[in-house]
Every structure is written in structure tokens, then in C-alpha cells.
Amino acid sequence: SSPVPINSKEHYAKPQKKHELKFILFRRNKPPSTFAAPAGASTFPHHLCSSRSPETMQTCLRRSGQQLLRGSPAFSPAIQSAHPLSAEHEAHHVRYASTSTIAVKGVGHLVRKGTGGRSSVSGIVATVFGATGFLGRYVVQQLAKMGSQVLVPFRGSEDSHRHLKLMGDLGQIVPMKYNPRDENSIKAVMAKANVVLNLIGREYETRNFSFEEVNHTMAEQLAMVGICFCLLPIPFLSGVLDVIAKEHGGIMRFIQVSCLGASSTSPSRMLRAKATAEEAVLRELPEATIMKPAVMIGTEDRILNRWAHFAKKWSFLPLIGDGSTKLQPVYVVDVAAAIIAALKDDGSSMGKIYELGGPEVFTIHELAELMYDTIREWPRYVKVPFPIAKALATPRELLLNKVPFPLPTPNMLNLDEINTLTVDTVVSKDALTFEDLGIVPHKLKGYPVEYLISYRKGGPAFGSTISEKLRSSEL
């Protein structure tokens, strides 16, 4: 039978299947002239796509898009070269590839709508692994503040991510359950992202996850899965090709967060695993950006909070060694800002390693003095030599995988952290820093440590040192 003309009443009479209805509505909203092939492109009988077979319709659409890409001068040569029709389609079926195809222009070309606030559209769809951790909440907040959609993979309870949903507009923070040991689960949370941030890390081991698995193996697996999504072909639909290419054009940026001091010669197992992860990520994705923050200070940190809680409970603070080890602590908000700055540039930060340290270098003793000064307690220290500290922390490491129950999380005596404190951890002289990202880091004394006020005895306006001074002046 002869095909029914598109503009005839019979064509819109009674569609019998759902796919026919969708296609007819799509065609009715456009005048017939908009479906004409561009100059130089071969014609194609679009009316055949109204057949009642879904497979036939998909085939017709695919062939039509291929002809438009091959013959139309309206499509730039860059798009045609970036998305070939045969080789890339076959590469999609390859499990992993040896080199990545991340664009070298970053995400600056993505579509943006609005004034730049939370209800705007930045064009960024970011999968943030480790979003439920200390640094993760600040990165999610800054991404959501600029109108990005954030996919939050989590493996814990449903309550682990609820504080993040308040940071973005409705539907912009998307929690997704996943298993870090399941490749298909990782692919599911990376499928529609164009930016991947890996913030996964842990400073102690458990019975289920070792240093190497958490800090190295997972990072390498994310990079290898990222290569797959860099090679995915874009659907060849002429009407929406530009939008799909911008929203789901594969992974454009990969940022790996490591640790300052990560080295293959470090006395710390965690830092050695982080160094191996850096090499693995750059081997799989040479365009990836590596961030190496120093010890991070913030409301939920695990150094000053831990010290203040111990000092309030036991009235003294143990100093590992003699307290002369040098650190360069950094405000966690500055680290999150550095990640966003690297994400928003024109691609100049791709393939580079940044060492993010604060503007001041402290010894352990000086940092403890700052803590005591903020919580208004009289400083009392007990110096613990390294051999004794290691002897006290070793039993947990020996019994970790030998007892049939989980052991407590190490607090003040973590063997790996004790090994880390045997050497100074400061920014290298020739390293890329905050200055190269256009950021001026905050000094610690002041607002960054104001959260310690909650440990003051008697309330925020009081404290042991202030109260005793007041009482002595009254006498």
C-alpha cells in the first residue's frame, strides 16, 4: 500500500500504539518545512517512520541522523570528527580502553540558564563519590549553589545523605544507592554525569575495607569506568543533538582528591596507597586533575574536634613525639572552592597536580595551643615518644582481622597517623597551589576555628581561663 501523506487527516486519525502517538505529536508541533534535509544532505522518506513497528522507527531515526551528520554542512567538522558513526559505536562495546577521550576544554562550554544561583542551570551533572564525608558536604554545597545537579552515591543508611538534600533546589541533589565493589553499580551512578569527583578516603582500616582498597583500588576502578563513558556515542537525533551533546556528552572532567604528603616512600600506608591511586588515575585518565589537600580544619574535622573532646574529658592532651612535627592545615571551605575553581576553568587545570596547604605552617604544639586558646582551657600536655605511641596503637592492628567482631575506631592512637607524624607535611616549593587557582586561603585563627567555642565551659562567652580571671579580679 502507498504511504499516507504526513499532512493528511488519515495520518493523525487513530494511532494504535504509544510510540506512534509520541512520534505524531512530535511531528505535529513542527511545520513540514522544518523537517527538510539541509542542503547537500541526501533525502530520506521520513513518512516511513510512522510504521507500527518500534524497531523500524528507531532504525529510520538512526539512519536519518547519520545522513544529516554525513552530508550536512550545518554540522561543524568538529562534531563529525568527535563522534564518528562506526568506530566509536564499536568502541562502545569494548570493556576498557587504553587511553581516554576527555575533552580538553573543561566544562566552560556547557549550557547555562539563569542568574547563577541555586535555581539556575549550570549544565554540570556531577557524581560526587564520598559526598557524605567531611569534605563532600562542602563540595556538594558549592556545586548546588551554582545550579548544578549532584548525584550522591551512598552505601550506608538512608540518613547518611539527608543533610545534603537541603543544599540544592528541588530535585537537584539525587541520592543513589551503590556498591563500591560492583562495577555495574558504579556505572549506574556515572551514566548521566559529565563531571566525576572522587573524594573517597579513610585514615584507618576496618575488617571489611583495607587502606589499599579504599584509597587505591576504588579510585582506579572509577577512572577505568570513566574511560568507558568518555567513549559512549551520542544519539544521532537532528532536532535535539545539541542539547543531548551538552547534557549527556560523556565525562568531561575527573577530579581525584588525594592527600598532601602522599608518596611511595611515605611511612604511612594510607599515603602510600594515595600515591599509587594518583599514578593509576593519571595512567587511565591523563586529563584528570589531582588535588592534594593538607590536614583539613572545619566544623566536622577529625583533629581539633578530637583534641578538644579529649582535653575536656581527661584535662590533658597527649603530644605524639615532642610536638615539633610541622603541618600546614587548611580550611575545608578553601579546598572545596579550589575544586570548584578547577572545575569551572577553561581546561587549564586538566592533567595537573595541586598541593593545597594553608597560609601558615604550625607545629603540633602550636596547633594545640590554638585549640586551647579557642576553648579557653589551661593547656596541659603529656609528651608521648614515638616508640611508646606505636606500642600502644599496635594491638588494634594485630587483632583487626583475627577477632570475630569489629574493633573500636581508633581515636587518639592511630598507628598510621602516628607514622605520618614522624615526618613534616608541608607544601613543596615548586608545586601548584591555591594561587594558581585564583584563591586566597583563610588563616586558621578566627572564623575557621570558631566551631570550637562549643567546648567552652559555661557557655560561648565564658571558659575556664576567662572565669578564673574574672573571679580573681573580683577578689
Side-chain angles (χ1 to χ4, degrees), residues 260-302:
L260 185 64
S263 169
S264 58
T265 59
S266 173
S268 166
R269 284 180 58 198
M270 186 198 73
L271 294 181
R272 291 198 299 269
K274 284 289 188 181
T276 309
E278 293 176 17
E279 297 173 0
V281 169
L282 291 177
R283 181 174 62 250
E284 302 294 340
L285 296 172
E287 303 88 353
T289 304
I290 308 294
M291 297 289 180
K292 302 178 67 173
V295 176
M296 291 182 288
I297 304 298
T299 306
E300 306 85 11
D301 71 34
R302 292 184 291 273

